Amino acid sequence: MFNEQVLQIAERIRGLRLILDIPVSEMAEVCSTTEEDYVAHENGEKDFSFTFLYNCAKHFGVDITEIITGDKPKLSFYSVVRKGEGLPIKRRKGFDYQHLAAMIQDRISEPFLVTAKYDKDAEERDIDLSVHEGQEFDFILSGSLKVRLEDHIVVLHAGDSIFYDSGHGHGMIAVGGSDCEFLAVVMGKDKK
C-alpha cells in the first residue's frame, strides 16, 4: 500500500471527477492511459506522475496545488521560497520536485526545482515519455541530463537549457555518474 499522501491525492481526484460528472473513460484519455490504469490511480493503488496530476488539474479547472495538498493557493502578489522549502512533490521514481510557486493563485506557469537521481540501470533502458499540453523550459543547474524528445536525444550539462512543446513525447534521466539538478518551468495553454 502507498503512503497516506498518495491515498489523499487519489481521493481528491476521484471526488473532483464525481463532482464534475466526468466519466472514467474521459479522464483516462486526458491522462493518456487505460481506464483500468486510471481507476487504479484513483483508488490509490498506483503512484502519480507529475504529468498525470498536471493533466487532471487542467481538465478539472483547478490548481495542481489543490490536488496535491487539498489547499487552494491564496497569494496574488508575490511569494518567496527559501532554499529547500518548496512544496515537495515526489511523484516520479528517481525524481524529486519542489514547487517554487505553489501558493500563488492563477499562475500562468508551474516552476519546479527538480533533482533527477542518477541510476546506472536507467542508462541501459529506453527513456519513458510523457505528454502534457503547453510548453516546458528546463535549465540545468548541476550534473548532466539526457533528454528524449520523441526520436531525438540530447544531453544537457550545467548552464544548458532546452525549451520544447510538451504536447510531444518527452522524458529525461540523469547521466554522467551523478544526480542532475535543474529548473523546470511548465507553461500550460489556456483552453479556448
Side-chain angles (χ1 to χ4, degrees):
M1 182 184 258
F2 285 104
N3 66 35
E4 188 63 27
Q5 183 186 24
V6 171
L7 295 173
Q8 289 173 359
I9 291 170
E11 185 176 308
R12 285 189 280 274
I13 289 172
R14 183 177 44 257
L16 283 165
R17 182 183 62 77
L18 293 172
I19 288 167
L20 296 170
D21 197 26
I22 299 172
V24 167
S25 58
E26 183 177 325
M27 288 307 300
E29 185 176 326
V30 165
C31 295
S32 301
T33 190
T34 64
E35 289 183 34
E36 181 181 354
D37 188 59
Y38 177 81
V39 169
H41 280 90
E42 220 180 64
N43 289 335
E45 298 164 4
K46 294 183 88 170
D47 204 351
F48 302 96
S49 68
F50 165 76
T51 300
F52 188 97
L53 295 172
Y54 183 80
N55 288 339
C56 285
K58 288 294 179 194
H59 199 67
F60 294 150
V62 299
D63 191 287
I64 192 171
T65 303
E66 292 179 62
I67 289 179
I68 295 167
T69 68
D71 292 328
K72 201 172 193 172
K74 296 168 181 60
L75 303 175
S76 62
F77 180 36
Y78 74 94
S79 171
V80 174
V81 176
R82 300 289 181 198
K83 182 177 181 177
E85 294 182 2
L87 175 66
I89 304 171
K90 294 190 180 186
R91 299 277 58 93
R92 180 176 164 202
K93 184 180 179 191
F95 283 74
D96 293 331
Y97 295 82
Q98 284 188 45
H99 199 300
L100 302 177
M103 296 317 295
I104 291 285
Q105 59 188 336
D106 302 322
R107 291 183 306 278
I108 58 173
S109 67
E110 304 289 343
F112 296 94
L113 178 61
V114 183
T115 302
K117 303 290 186 182
Y118 176 73
D119 177 357
K120 183 173 176 24
D121 294 335
E123 289 187 278
E124 307 301 320
R125 298 187 302 266
D126 283 339
I127 298 173
D128 292 332
L129 301 179
S130 61
V131 175
H132 54 85
E133 71 175 21
Q135 299 172 327
E136 186 166 334
F137 172 76
D138 300 328
F139 181 85
I140 310 306
L141 299 169
S142 64
S144 298
L145 192 69
K146 183 177 184 181
V147 181
R148 177 177 169 203
L149 300 162
E150 294 181 348
D151 295 331
H152 306 278
I153 301 284
V154 63
V155 177
L156 304 172
H157 306 284
D160 293 343
S161 66
I162 187 167
F163 189 99
Y164 52 92
D165 179 340
S166 51
H168 292 271
H170 61 280
M172 54 211 59
I173 60 168
V175 293
S178 63
D179 296 349
C180 178
E181 188 173 62
F182 61 101
L183 179 64
V185 181
V186 178
M187 296 152 281
K189 290 185 180 176
D190 290 335
K191 291 183 181 179
K192 305 234 183 232

